Amino acid sequence: MALRIYGNRQLKTLPGQNTRPTPSRVREAVFNIWQDITGCRWLDLCAGSGSMGAEALCRGAAIAVAIEQSGPACQIIKQNWQQVATPEQQFRVLRGDVVKRLKSLAAEEFDRIYFDPPYTANLYEPVLEAIAKYSLLAAGGELIAEHDPKREMVEVSGLAIVRQKVYGGCAIAFYEPINSPVP
């Protein structure tokens, strides 16, 4: 199965519904809101096919990091990102449990974080808490958590919801670090 992103580039996806790519209209909306990501540090959590990170790389992100539990999905992400990344861009794909893998990133900061877990997984609170605990979201940065529109999103110590948008059967919540200076 294939998916198209910025610049009409085609990406690979895994067959079946184990990884659910972010709908194209949501992806387009996110990048319309986050217009200039040139040079940003991007973190893609529960990355699936890596379409959001691939889109970020196509739009000029300097660094992209993916965390994904599925081995086959990690291979697809690597292939997709190799296809779109320029020699100046850095990327890496980390396989494993997202909460445990976040600890390994504790020395890093990201300007944009996209978090798209399986909607029924109980990952929202532990992942958001880990992001705050390890200070992974840079001052002035923003995180989007994709979720079911019927779900009430939580705030955790260190991160505040600043707005929410609904696109049919998909919703996104925007988080910023608390006490973050405006860039």
Side-chain angles (χ1 to χ4, degrees):
M1 193 171 157
L3 166 74
R4 294 204 178 275
I5 62 164
Y6 183 75
N8 205 24
R9 291 178 170 101
Q10 189 170 319
L11 299 179
K12 293 180 181 178
T13 60
L14 288 171
Q17 293 297 313
N18 288 341
T19 57
R20 167 195 38 78
T22 297
S24 60
R25 74 181 215 178
V26 175
R27 204 171 51 250
E28 183 179 338
V30 166
F31 286 97
N32 283 337
I33 293 165
W34 285 348
Q35 289 185 358
D36 185 14
I37 60 161
T38 303
C40 89
R41 299 160 295 179
W42 181 277
L43 179 58
D44 198 346
L45 302 176
C46 301
S49 66
S51 64
M52 295 302 285
E55 186 99 21
L57 287 165
C58 287
R59 293 173 183 258
I63 297 168
V65 176
I67 299 177
E68 172 55 50
Q69 188 154 345
S70 161
C74 286
Q75 291 305 314
I76 294 284
I77 296 165
K78 285 178 189 170
Q79 290 172 21
N80 286 335
W81 288 11
Q82 284 171 342
Q83 176 186 320
V84 300
T86 66
E88 298 79 36
Q89 293 171 309
Q90 299 174 27
F91 69 85
R92 64 189 193 274
V93 179
L94 307 174
R95 180 177 178 201
D97 176 88
V98 65
V99 177
K100 292 176 184 171
R101 293 302 290 193
L102 284 170
K103 185 176 182 179
S104 71
L105 299 175
E108 299 182 53
E109 283 188 331
F110 297 89
D111 305 300
R112 299 286 183 255
I113 300 175
Y114 198 83
F115 174 39
D116 180 15
Y119 289 175
T120 57
N122 291 319
L123 289 173
Y124 291 99
E125 198 165 347
V127 166
L128 293 169
E129 286 174 349
I131 289 166
K133 177 180 179 181
Y134 302 123
S135 302
L136 297 177
L137 187 57
E142 202 165 40
L143 174 149
I144 290 178
E146 188 178 315
H147 61 94
D148 184 310
K150 296 177 193 114
R151 181 185 197 95
E152 184 75 26
M153 292 303 289
V154 296
E155 286 195 356
V156 298
S157 178
L159 295 174
I161 296 173
V162 293
R163 64 187 178 279
Q164 297 188 62
K165 306 255 184 202
V166 177
Y167 302 92
C170 175
I172 54 177
F174 294 78
Y175 290 81
E176 290 181 354
I178 293 177
N179 300 325
S180 172
V182 177

